[in-house]
């Protein structure tokens, strides 16, 4: 499920500041990065299954591995995890409305913080 028009996808931000803000809202980068891309995940374990709110980004300047990069954020996604295949984001997925609302609230809070320092 795509969270269209959140405004997050318009931001370019410093990687280190972004890491801090995302972590404050439960979105962690951990090992989901390479030298050009990042993925911030928040895991939700519900009776309906395991879900991930994901915010992707890519370096438009600098190097993620060196912790010196400007990240262009992309459209956030909500996906359901299926063992052993991974996360599915498809239109055919059914996402609990409470989860969708919680994700929207989290994204609004993240956006409010990022817009204070983003380009």
């Amino acid at each position: 499920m795509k969270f269209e028009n959140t405004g997050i996808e318009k931001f370019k931000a410093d990687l280190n500041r972004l890491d801090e803000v995302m972590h404050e809202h439960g979105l962690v980068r951990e090992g989901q990065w390479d030298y050009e891309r990042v993925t911030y995940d928040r895991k939700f374990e519900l009776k309906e299954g395991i879900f991930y709110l994901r915010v992707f980004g890519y370096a438009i300047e600098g190097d993620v591995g060196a912790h010196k990069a400007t990240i262009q954020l992309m459209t956030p996604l909500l996906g359901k995890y299926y063992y052993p295949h991974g996360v599915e984001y498809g239109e055919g997925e059914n996402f609990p409305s409470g989860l969708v609302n919680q994700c929207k609230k989290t994204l609004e809070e993240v956006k409010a913080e990022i817009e204070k320092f983003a380009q």
Side-chain angles (χ1 to χ4, degrees):
M1 169 182 195
K2 287 185 178 182
F3 289 98
E4 302 280 357
N5 303 314
T6 61
I8 287 176
E9 64 278 358
K10 297 177 184 174
F11 292 134
K12 298 172 183 78
D14 174 73
L15 173 67
N16 297 311
R17 298 279 310 276
L18 205 50
D19 282 351
E20 291 172 12
V21 169
M22 294 295 196
H23 191 266
E24 288 172 11
H25 295 279
L27 290 147
V28 294
R29 182 162 57 99
E30 296 296 330
Q32 295 91 279
W33 64 273
D34 63 21
Y35 294 99
E36 298 173 348
R37 295 175 293 191
V38 296
T39 303
Y40 295 96
D41 282 345
R42 182 168 177 184
K43 183 178 182 180
F44 297 90
E45 294 184 51
L46 308 173
K47 65 181 177 185
E48 294 90 343
I50 297 173
F51 299 88
Y52 286 92
L53 172 60
R54 290 197 157 155
V55 180
F56 299 96
Y58 60 92
I60 57 171
E61 186 178 296
D63 181 333
V64 173
H67 299 281
K68 293 183 180 180
T70 300
I71 303 297
Q72 171 67 60
L73 293 172
M74 300 168 66
T75 303
L77 299 173
L78 179 61
K80 184 173 183 180
Y81 176 75
Y82 291 96
Y83 177 82
H85 303 291
V87 180
E88 292 291 330
Y89 309 100
E91 297 298 321
E93 296 298 328
N94 185 18
F95 298 103
S97 60
L99 174 62
V100 171
N101 291 334
Q102 184 176 3
C103 290
K104 286 179 181 178
K105 182 177 185 243
T106 297
L107 293 170
E108 288 170 6
E109 292 170 354
V110 165
K111 179 187 175 207
E113 290 294 317
I114 293 173
E115 67 187 354
K116 295 176 184 175
F117 62 86
Q119 302 174 16

